[in-house]
Amino acid sequence: MPGIDKLPIEETLEDSPQTRSLLGVFEEDAAAISNYINQLFQAMHRIYDAQNELSAATHLTSKLLKEYEKQRFPLGGDDEVMTSTLQQFAKVIDELSSCHAVLSTQLADAMMFPITQFKERDLKEILTLKEVFQIASNDHDAAITRYSRLSKRRENEKIKAEVTEDVYTSRKKQHQTMMHYFCALNTLQYKKKIAMLEPLLGYMQAQISFFKMGSENLTEQLEEFLTNIGTSVQNVRREMECEGENMQQTIEDLEVASDPLYLPDPDTTKFPVHRNLTRKAGYLNARNKTGLVSSSWERQFYFTQGGNLMSQARGDVAGGLVMDIDNCSVMAVDCEDRRYCFQITSFDGKKSSILQAESKKDYEEWICTINNISKQIYLSENPEEIAARVNQSALEAVTPSPSFQQRHESMRPTVQSRPPAARTSSTGSLGSESAALSALSLDSLVAPDTPIQFDIISPVSEDLPGQAKSSGQSGRRTNPFGESGGSKSETEDSILHQLFIVRFLGSMEVKSDENPDVVYETMRQILAARAIHNIFRMTESHLLVTCDCLKLIDPQTQVTRLRFPLPNVVLYATHQENKRLFGFVLRTSGGRVESRQTSVCYIFESNNEGEKICDSVGLAKQIAFHAELDRKASEKQKEIDRVKEKQQKELNKQKQIEKDLEEQSRLIAASSRSNQSSGEGQFVVLSSSQSEDSDLGEDGKKKRESEA
């Protein structure tokens, strides 16, 4: 017989969505088998009940056997051997449909009993196991939910013990029930063939023994075919028994090996944490915000796929993308009243997700795995080996050790000789020795007895030296809803916004800001001081690079801790060997001595992004430089336009004056002409009156004078 697909019993404890999907296929197959067996049982029962309908019943049986190849079984539907065998049976049954006398006892024993036993015992067993498994799965989910809600307070130890015991019991019950359920479904694939072939074989044997004319109807070739089928049934039975024994042994071995894993938080001494993984899968609780201050937790199956974090719920065929974790950052967080929580933030800082692991082991392994994937180690040929080497190098390069010499041994280049005037404590440097530094002593780079600041000063309590107070420059909190609140952000118009996750190592005043070696020497002194004074704590912040300034932002509260104007950043460099270390020099006015400029060097550690941060700062300064050139050119053009406008106004004014003069001249000329014309009129009137007076005589003159 061909091989039969089976459910993997070894994966029952993990209970992944893929296993659940495969289980759904087997359950669908069992339902199809049950449906088909019921039809076949009814057909055979008609043969047993009524001899008069034997011909019709055998014909229906033959018809059902012919339709087997049309059935769409999720498993074994393409079994050509089984199909051809049933087709041969259907042909023989058609030849025997003319027989009308059947012994009821032989049919009951040889035909009805096997299929009835399969229908009433085996199929009902599958249904019962399915119900028991569903109840156990629901109890396990409820226990896991109660366990996830455990408080971190110590007064809940009794409740914690009860919930832990509940998780242990429910997980063990689910695991054992699931293994037996898988075993029954796997066995069903064999039993369904036996249940269909054995009744048919008994029916044919009853017919042979009943009919005296069997020698005429049943040829020697048919007897050989039936013998081969009987042998195949026995082989399938033996194969089923062997497989059942193997599955039972597997169940016993897994029960013994999986007993410690039933505990939700196994002992890390017995099960060590694997820190060099580049692939991880398992159930996590994801926090989803449901309101302004409220949130809910949802349990899903998470797995990594290359540089992506995927999630898959039960019943889903495939997983969905949660976040791109290339160059992301991951860190442990204290989240409400839950344990083992960590936060993943994307490279650009725009997306973050808070997840909760089930145990401390999973919690540490998830953080290490995501941290390894963020460095793109998974793209190499031997990712785990490279991850182990990178983690060891990072541990030697950053983590201080009790011995100062051991602490810096792996980070120092070959020790070079110093001039006699150099300090004896400075026997080596973090960076390569330049030609300019060989002529200078270390005292010319860093002032002697300069205090080192290992923590970031809060903007509420103290201002940065040389940085003027101004409302809105420090202590400003980013609106979580993305609203401006009536005030425009100072970096809102900047065309460059790049966010990096950094850890502040320290800062100190320096005497020079013209040579990158001052950054290397500051790195060496700060790391040495941390190792000597056993200072291990580092403040993590988000470094925002814009065209105006550099900002240190609190990742939790989004409050600006420090602001560095970009024009004051005069020097920046990353370490030549340990690329995670970088620093910059800030030139400020004032300091320990008033009325002079001072330079302060700030040192940070990043997630292997030192060169990217320096490139980003350089790009920001170039953009700011070109913007300043454009601003000056714009101002110059505006000045030229103002001069031209002023000249145009003067010209228009001169034209207006000339126009007014012309108008005045025209009015004067017009008034002169009007005066001349009025004088001539008076002369004409006078002459006419004189002539009239001469005509009137003396009497007329007197009369005119009296009228006048």
Side-chain angles (χ1 to χ4, degrees):
M1 301 298 287
I4 300 175
D5 294 333
K6 60 181 181 179
L7 286 168
I9 302 178
E10 297 82 2
E11 298 180 4
T12 53
L13 181 59
E14 182 180 3
D15 191 19
S16 64
Q18 290 83 359
T19 306
R20 285 296 183 100
S21 298
L22 187 60
L23 174 61
V25 176
F26 273 77
E27 290 176 346
E28 184 180 355
D29 182 75
I33 292 173
S34 177
N35 185 29
Y36 182 78
I37 290 298
N38 288 333
Q39 298 181 36
L40 190 60
F41 174 81
Q42 294 175 3
M44 292 184 177
H45 196 271
R46 291 185 63 182
I47 299 175
Y48 175 73
D49 289 340
Q51 294 183 7
N52 295 330
E53 297 180 359
L54 180 59
S55 179
T58 52
H59 180 72
L60 179 60
T61 303
S62 175
K63 181 180 179 181
L64 287 174
L65 294 177
K66 290 179 180 179
E67 290 179 353
Y68 176 81
E69 62 180 356
K70 299 179 181 179
Q71 300 294 323
R72 294 294 179 261
F73 296 112
L75 298 176
D78 297 332
D79 191 350
E80 296 181 358
V81 177
M82 188 69 180
T83 302
S84 62
T85 302
L86 295 180
Q87 291 295 328
Q88 186 67 23
F89 271 115
K91 181 179 179 180
V92 174
I93 293 174
D94 281 338
E95 295 177 358
L96 294 176
S97 62
S98 60
C99 298
H100 301 288
V102 178
L103 295 176
S104 299
T105 305
Q106 291 180 348
L107 291 177
D109 295 338
M111 184 178 66
M112 297 304 300
F113 178 74
I115 193 170
T116 303
Q117 191 177 23
F118 175 75
K119 178 176 176 292
E120 298 297 331
R121 186 187 66 184
D122 298 327
L123 293 180
K124 286 186 177 181
E125 180 186 3
I126 293 294
L127 294 177
T128 304
L129 287 175
K130 181 179 179 180
E131 294 177 359
V132 174
F133 167 69
Q134 190 63 38
I135 294 173
S137 178
N138 294 337
D139 293 343
H140 177 256
D141 292 342
I144 284 295
T145 302
R146 289 193 300 270
Y147 177 79
S148 300
R149 295 174 179 173
L150 280 178
S151 174
K152 297 187 290 186
R153 296 190 291 268
R154 297 183 61 87
E155 57 266 17
N156 293 328
E157 291 296 326
K158 181 178 180 181
I159 299 177
K160 178 181 177 182
E162 294 176 358
V163 174
T164 302
E165 181 65 22
D166 190 13
V167 172
Y168 173 85
T169 304
S170 61
R171 182 170 291 176
K172 183 175 182 180
K173 180 180 178 181
Q174 181 193 8
H175 186 210
Q176 294 176 351
T177 306
M178 197 173 186
M179 288 191 293
H180 289 288
Y181 187 32
F182 279 23
C183 179
L185 288 175
N186 291 337
T187 308
L188 183 65
Q189 302 304 314
Y190 299 94
K191 288 184 178 180
K192 79 170 184 179
K193 296 188 176 184
I194 296 174
M196 288 187 291
L197 296 178
E198 194 172 21
L200 299 175
L201 181 62
Y203 174 77
M204 296 306 301
Q205 290 175 349
Q207 292 286 359
I208 292 173
S209 64
F210 179 75
F211 291 112
K212 294 181 180 180
M213 60 179 68
S215 59
E216 298 178 1
N217 297 332
L218 303 176
T219 62
E220 183 179 354
Q221 183 179 0
L222 181 59
E223 291 180 355
E224 183 181 358
F225 169 72
L226 296 177
T227 303
N228 293 334
I229 294 301
T231 304
S232 298
V233 171
Q234 295 300 325
N235 292 335
V236 172
R237 186 183 297 277
R238 285 193 297 268
E239 187 178 351
M240 179 189 68
E241 293 175 354
C242 181
E243 184 66 24
E245 293 176 359
N246 293 335
M247 289 189 294
Q248 188 64 32
Q249 183 64 35
T250 302
I251 289 175
E252 294 176 359
D253 295 341
L254 289 176
E255 285 181 351
V256 175
S258 303
D259 188 75
L261 299 178
Y262 294 144
L263 291 171
D265 196 358
D267 189 1
T268 55
T269 58
K270 297 180 181 179
F271 300 93
V273 178
H274 301 285
R275 303 184 182 276
N276 303 325
L277 299 176
T278 55
R279 297 178 61 186
K280 178 93 176 144
Y283 281 97
L284 295 173
N285 292 330
R287 190 180 75 168
N288 299 320
K289 283 194 173 183
T290 58
L292 295 177
V293 295
S294 60
S295 61
S296 62
W297 294 84
E298 182 181 4
R299 188 169 185 261
Q300 287 189 350
F301 187 83
Y302 285 80
F303 60 94
T304 60
Q305 190 175 50
N308 298 324
L309 178 65
M310 314 289 289
S311 68
Q312 184 176 1
R314 286 184 181 178
D316 292 348
V317 179
L321 177 64
V322 176
M323 186 185 302
D324 182 5
I325 54 179
D326 277 342
N327 297 320
C328 74
S329 64
V330 57
M331 62 180 177
V333 294
D334 290 333
C335 188
E336 298 173 356
D337 205 19
R338 296 210 174 199
R339 306 172 299 166
Y340 309 139
C341 295
F342 58 94
Q343 180 178 357
I344 307 173
T345 306
S346 60
F347 172 75
D348 54 5
K350 295 181 179 180
K351 187 175 183 181
S352 64
S353 180
I354 296 179
L355 304 173
Q356 180 194 16
E358 184 176 301
S359 62
K360 184 177 181 181
K361 177 178 179 295
D362 286 345
Y363 161 76
E364 295 183 2
E365 285 183 353
W366 272 108
I367 292 179
C368 294
T369 302
I370 295 175
N371 191 29
N372 293 335
I373 294 176
S374 68
K375 301 174 184 176
Q376 299 182 349
I377 298 176
Y378 64 92
L379 299 175
S380 58
E381 295 182 358
N382 299 318
E384 292 191 2
E385 180 181 351
I386 295 177
R389 187 165 61 251
V390 170
N391 291 334
Q392 183 64 25
S393 300
L395 183 64
E396 294 175 354
V398 179
T399 306
S401 62
S403 173
F404 172 78
Q405 185 67 23
Q406 294 176 358
R407 168 67 179 85
H408 296 282
E409 190 67 27
S410 62
M411 299 179 60
R412 292 180 179 177
T414 305
V415 178
Q416 300 182 6
S417 60
R418 291 283 184 179
R423 290 178 292 180
T424 58
S425 61
S426 302
T427 58
S429 65
L430 291 173
S432 61
E433 300 296 334
S434 62
L437 187 60
S438 61
L440 300 174
S441 65
L442 295 180
D443 290 340
S444 63
L445 298 178
V446 181
D449 301 329
T450 301
I452 300 177
Q453 179 178 319
F454 294 106
D455 201 358
I456 298 176
I457 300 177
S458 173
V460 177
S461 60
E462 185 174 350
D463 291 334
L464 184 69
Q467 183 174 336
K469 289 185 178 180
S470 61
S471 60
Q473 289 189 356
S474 62
R476 172 175 292 178
R477 180 168 180 169
T478 305
N479 194 330
F481 302 102
E483 301 172 354
S484 60
S487 61
K488 190 173 182 180
S489 174
E490 60 182 356
T491 59
E492 191 178 45
D493 296 333
S494 178
I495 62 175
L496 178 66
H497 288 82
Q498 292 190 356
L499 194 70
F500 303 93
I501 297 178
V502 297
R503 288 169 289 279
F504 181 69
L505 295 177
S507 64
M508 61 186 301
E509 185 177 338
V510 296
K511 298 177 65 176
S512 173
D513 55 10
E514 299 177 354
N515 197 313
D517 292 315
V518 68
V519 179
Y520 307 149
E521 177 62 18
T522 306
M523 291 180 182
R524 188 194 67 80
Q525 292 197 20
I526 289 177
L527 290 178
R530 279 183 168 270
I532 293 173
H533 298 291
N534 294 326
I535 301 175
F536 304 134
R537 184 176 63 86
M538 294 182 290
T539 303
E540 184 168 274
S541 303
H542 288 173
L543 179 63
L544 179 63
V545 180
T546 66
C547 299
D548 300 325
C549 63
L550 307 181
K551 281 188 177 183
L552 285 181
I553 302 174
D554 190 306
Q556 298 295 329
T557 62
Q558 300 300 314
V559 172
T560 301
R561 289 172 171 167
L562 285 180
R563 179 183 182 277
F564 308 102
L566 192 62
N568 294 354
V569 179
V570 296
L571 181 64
Y572 47 90
T574 182
H575 194 270
Q576 296 179 352
E577 296 177 4
N578 186 1
K579 301 301 182 181
R580 299 173 63 180
L581 299 178
F582 78 97
F584 60 85
V585 178
L586 185 73
R587 183 182 296 171
T588 60
S589 60
R592 292 185 295 176
V593 179
E594 296 295 335
S595 69
R596 76 173 182 89
Q597 290 187 340
T598 60
S599 299
V600 180
C601 184
Y602 293 85
I603 305 300
F604 297 88
E605 179 192 27
S606 65
N607 295 333
N608 201 20
E609 298 176 345
E611 292 183 347
K612 294 182 180 179
I613 297 177
C614 291
D615 294 341
S616 178
V617 175
L619 178 61
K621 293 185 74 67
Q622 291 181 5
I623 294 175
F625 176 72
H626 289 294
E628 182 66 19
L629 292 181
D630 295 340
R631 186 186 64 81
K632 291 182 178 180
S634 177
E635 291 181 354
K636 185 175 180 181
Q637 184 64 34
K638 289 181 180 180
E639 184 66 25
I640 294 174
D641 293 341
R642 284 196 297 268
V643 172
K644 290 183 177 180
E645 184 179 359
K646 185 177 180 180
Q647 292 177 354
Q648 186 66 31
K649 288 182 178 180
E650 292 292 338
L651 182 60
N652 294 337
K653 186 177 179 181
Q654 184 66 28
K655 290 182 178 180
Q656 184 65 30
I657 293 174
E658 293 177 356
K659 186 177 180 181
D660 293 342
L661 292 176
E662 291 177 358
E663 184 66 23
Q664 291 179 2
S665 301
R666 186 180 62 80
L667 292 176
I668 293 172
S671 62
S672 299
R673 287 195 297 272
S674 63
N675 292 334
Q676 292 177 0
S677 57
S678 61
E680 292 178 355
Q682 291 176 0
F683 177 75
V684 172
V685 172
L686 181 61
S687 300
S688 61
S689 61
Q690 289 177 357
S691 60
E692 290 178 357
D693 290 343
S694 60
D695 294 336
L696 291 176
E698 290 295 331
D699 296 334
K701 289 180 181 179
K702 292 180 180 180
K703 186 178 180 179
R704 186 182 297 276
E705 289 176 359
S706 63
E707 290 177 356

